[in-house]
Structures are given as structure tokens and as C-alpha cells.
Amino acid sequence: MSKPVIAFVVSYFPIAPGGAELQSYLIAKSLRNELDIHFISMSNRHEKSGKIEQDGFTIWFIPKRPIARRLFCHDEFLNYYKIKKIFNQIKPVYVYQRCIGYNTWICGNLKKRLNYRFILHVANDNDLSPALSTGIRYIVFKIEKILSRKGASLADKIFVQNKFQAKSCIDFLHRNDYEIVYNFSHVLDYPIIKNTKPIHVIWVANIKPIKNPSLYLDIVKYFSNNPNVDFTMAGIPGSNEIMEEIYQIEKNTKNFKYVGYISNDDVNNSLERSHLLINTSFYEGFSNTFVQAWFRKCPVLSYRVNPDNLISEHSLGFCANGDKNLMIAFLNDYIFNYRKREELENKSLLFAVNNLSDKVILPKIKTGIIGYEK
């Protein structure tokens, strides 16, 4: 007897190495015994349409369209007929879509015709917020916001990652039937042991404006002559301007290195050796890198992002609430305060094990997808 089909409308990990993609991949793996898994994957790493079988999944590729992106600042609205054609072939019983956008509208619109259970998972804090841009970008993103909210309103189940997103769900979708679920990982079966000197600090993200990489570089420059700390920066390269700055600082600074894009396994290995993860983003959802860090006894020093105030309430690091000077002051103390480091490292691991493990989170997600407790 064939298994019911679920379509994950989200780019396939590890071809697209983001946090939303990784979480979707982990959810899909947990459902392999119960459902026939299909990914509809959109990425600029796909050169042409088609499908492959991999890791027990069927992956359908929809390439990005560079010309449309240059003309309209977007290309997802062109996916409608491709996704419709795939859905007509695979006949999904469930559709799981993550990251609100034009694809949300597409999945909501097709649900009315194909009668599947539509599960929406909000990824970023700005997913439901008003359009933030100017000129032609504002028009394009305003249309996207209007259509995506229409699609979201048709979802049978909505997952959000924090209380801010929950409030946005009420304010913009006029729905209070959401469920808050945090990102998750598995509990390691070996102890994490850190070297005491020097203090290793790491920044991991795609190098783009929303991640605010220049702030991390400012912190690096402030501590450039301090032999007690070293800094690593990892992520897919950004604009020529920011990359020139990074390479120049790396050339002139002994305790800083940029390692480029690294795999998720390498991220985990780096976090195991690191004493602190710095996040400089203007906003996130529930950063997957936070979760990976806490499971590896690596507290987080955050510029603004503090999902549900967890960092502050549970001593998982420090949130500077948008104040660069507070970040510098915290790090200056953290470098020399062994007791504080040990306390935050242990509390980070304990919180992760008790609240963010796959055994805690996955049953909630699987029940929300399938619609009842298995």
C-alpha cells in the first residue's frame, strides 16, 4: 500500500544551506516511515528543472530566474504553474510550506482545488510584517505581502517560532489558532570540552545587509590587539564592498580569519570549539545557529535578536538590545571571567536539552502536520 504524499515547498538542504531548509529536512526525515516525501526546491543553485531521488526523498527542482529577479526584484510569482503541475502529478495529501511569500499564496490557492491539508511554518519575524522597501521594490513586496497573507489565511495549521510571530499572526492574519514551536536539534552523546585559552568567538551567517556583518567587523577591530581572544567569520560571500572590507581586516589583523561558506557539520564542529557565538542580525525568527550553539555549550552574544527573551531569562548569553557598546563591554568581561563563561555554557546546554531537543519538539510538529496524534 502506497504511503500518503507530503510536499515540502522549501528549498532542499544541503543544496540550500539555510536554517529553514535544515529544519524542514529534519522534519522530513522524521516522517519518512509514514509519508512519501517530496521537496519542491527553489534555489539559485539549481541550473534546470527536473527531479532526483536522494536520501529517501523525491526532490523537484525549480531554478531561480536571474532576469526576472533583476526586473521585478522577485521571481517566486512565476512558480505557480510549475508547482501546480508537480502537485497534479504527485497528488499531495499534505503540503508543508516554510518562509512566507508568493509560494504561500500559491499553496493556499491550489489547496482550494486539490483539497490537501496545508501546513504553514513562519520562518522570520518580518514574514508577516508590512513591506519594508522603497520604489519598485516596495510595490513588488507590497503585492507579495497582500497575496501571501491571503494564502496564509487558508492554512489548516500555522506554526510560529516565537511570541512576536504569534502576535503578528493575530494582527495581520486575524488568527489565534497558531502553535509556537521552537527550532530543535538532537542531544549529543558525548561531552563538550572547551580549551580555556584563547577565547574563540565565531559569527556564522550569509553575508548580507540584514545580517549586519559590519557590526561584527567593528567588534573585531576593537579587540584586534587582544591576544586572549580570536575571531572567526563564516558564511556565503556578500557584496564586493563588504568582502573587500573583510579581506582587508583579515590581512591586517592577527586574531581574525574569514573561512567562507562552511558545511553544517563544520559549523557544528566550530561551535564545539567556540566559547561564544556572536549574532548581529537586525531580525531573525528563531535562529537555528542559536540552537546548534547551545547544544554545544556555546552561549550567544546578540545585538538585537532575543526570541521570547530566552537569552536573558535563562542566561543563554547576553542580548545588547541594539547597543554595540554593551556588546563590547560584555565581551571584554567574558574574556577574563572564567566563572561566568562556565555558568553560561552549562546553562545553555541544560536549556537546550530540556527544551529544544528533537524528542521534545518533533512530536508537536508531526501531530500538527498529520492532524492528529500518531
Side-chain angles (χ1 to χ4, degrees):
M1 182 177 176
S2 60
K3 294 181 285 189
V5 171
I6 181 169
F8 280 78
V9 184
V10 59
S11 295
Y12 182 67
F13 180 89
I15 295 172
E21 291 80 9
L22 173 59
Q23 289 289 309
S24 300
Y25 174 80
L26 294 175
I27 293 167
K29 282 182 66 176
S30 75
L31 291 166
R32 272 188 301 201
N33 292 333
E34 299 150 81
L35 302 176
D36 182 9
I37 312 290
H38 291 251
F39 274 87
I40 289 83
S41 179
M42 290 134 283
S43 172
N44 54 16
R45 298 189 174 200
H46 304 326
E47 295 181 357
K48 57 183 180 179
S49 300
K51 70 173 182 176
I52 62 171
E53 304 290 332
Q54 183 174 309
D55 207 16
F57 307 140
T58 303
I59 303 130
W60 302 77
F61 295 132
I62 300 179
K64 295 285 188 180
R65 304 165 183 85
I67 295 175
R69 290 174 73 83
R70 282 198 296 270
L71 290 174
F72 305 110
C73 315
H74 226 306
D75 68 341
E76 273 191 6
F77 61 91
L78 297 172
N79 292 336
Y80 185 91
Y81 289 103
K82 285 186 176 290
I83 292 177
K84 181 182 177 182
K85 183 179 179 180
I86 294 170
F87 280 6
N88 281 332
Q89 285 184 249
I90 66 177
K91 295 179 172 47
V93 177
Y94 311 99
V95 169
Y96 173 96
Q97 195 265 320
R98 194 161 181 143
C99 304
I100 291 181
Y102 280 111
N103 287 332
T104 310
W105 170 71
I106 293 170
C107 291
N109 187 276
L110 291 175
K111 165 186 156 44
K112 294 184 291 185
R113 306 181 185 192
L114 301 178
N115 196 32
Y116 47 71
R117 178 172 171 81
F118 177 27
I119 301 94
L120 176 65
H121 205 142
V122 180
N124 292 310
D125 282 357
N126 70 328
D127 272 2
L128 292 169
S129 65
L132 300 173
S133 196
T134 57
I136 184 65
R137 284 182 172 271
Y138 174 80
I139 296 171
V140 171
F141 289 117
K142 181 67 175 178
I143 295 171
E144 180 188 31
K145 291 292 183 182
I146 293 170
L147 292 178
S148 64
R149 288 178 189 171
K150 285 185 178 180
S153 68
L154 296 170
D156 297 287
K157 179 71 178 182
I158 299 179
F159 291 121
V160 296
Q161 298 185 40
N162 56 52
K163 293 175 183 176
F164 177 86
Q165 293 178 2
K167 184 178 184 303
S168 295
C169 202
I170 296 171
D171 292 343
F172 298 116
L173 298 182
H174 309 294
R175 291 183 58 164
N176 59 7
D177 57 340
Y178 55 81
E179 182 175 2
I180 298 176
V181 291
Y182 295 148
N183 283 348
F184 63 91
S185 188
H186 65 279
V187 179
L188 303 179
D189 57 2
Y190 54 88
I192 301 295
I193 300 172
K194 312 269 186 181
N195 293 330
T196 54
K197 291 182 180 180
I199 301 304
H200 297 294
V201 177
I202 189 169
W203 184 98
V204 183
N206 292 334
I207 298 175
K208 53 188 179 181
I210 198 62
K211 301 297 185 180
N212 196 16
S214 295
L215 175 55
Y216 183 65
L217 298 177
D218 288 344
I219 294 171
V220 169
K221 286 185 283 188
Y222 184 90
F223 289 94
S224 60
N225 294 318
N226 193 321
N228 299 294
V229 59
D230 61 43
F231 296 88
T232 299
M233 188 175 202
I236 295 173
S239 67
N240 291 336
E241 182 180 0
I242 187 66
M243 296 313 299
E244 286 177 11
E245 183 180 4
I246 289 171
Y247 294 137
Q248 191 63 34
I249 293 173
E250 185 178 35
K251 180 180 178 181
N252 298 324
T253 307
K254 292 182 179 180
N255 62 344
F256 170 69
K257 61 181 177 181
Y258 168 63
V259 296
Y261 165 73
I262 59 176
S263 70
N264 190 62
D265 287 341
D266 287 336
V267 170
N268 286 332
N269 291 335
S270 296
L271 289 169
E272 287 184 16
R273 298 190 299 269
S274 298
H275 300 84
L276 192 68
L277 169 70
I278 288 186
N279 179 281
T280 53
S281 297
F282 291 112
Y283 57 80
E284 301 263 2
F286 196 111
S287 171
N288 196 68
T289 316
F290 286 12
V291 178
Q292 292 170 269
W294 291 331
F295 270 102
R296 288 158 181 83
K297 295 178 70 174
C298 182
V300 174
L301 172 56
S302 175
Y303 176 55
R304 286 179 54 175
V305 176
N306 190 3
D308 289 353
N309 208 35
L310 294 177
I311 294 175
S312 305
E313 289 186 3
H314 297 276
S315 299
L316 310 179
F318 178 76
C319 180
N321 296 315
D323 189 329
K324 178 176 75 172
N325 292 327
L326 287 180
M327 295 181 77
I328 290 172
F330 172 86
L331 181 53
N332 206 33
D333 175 60
Y334 191 78
I335 291 170
F336 299 102
N337 194 333
Y338 173 78
R339 288 187 178 180
K340 178 182 239 179
R341 291 202 308 274
E342 187 177 43
E343 177 190 0
L344 297 184
E345 287 171 359
N346 289 333
K347 286 186 175 180
S348 295
L349 176 59
L350 183 64
F351 178 84
V353 170
N354 289 337
N355 298 278
L356 306 176
S357 75
D358 47 6
K359 292 182 180 179
V360 173
I361 303 296
L362 266 177
K364 300 176 185 178
I365 295 176
K366 292 173 71 173
T367 298
I369 289 174
I370 296 172
Y372 57 89
E373 187 114 26
K374 292 285 285 186

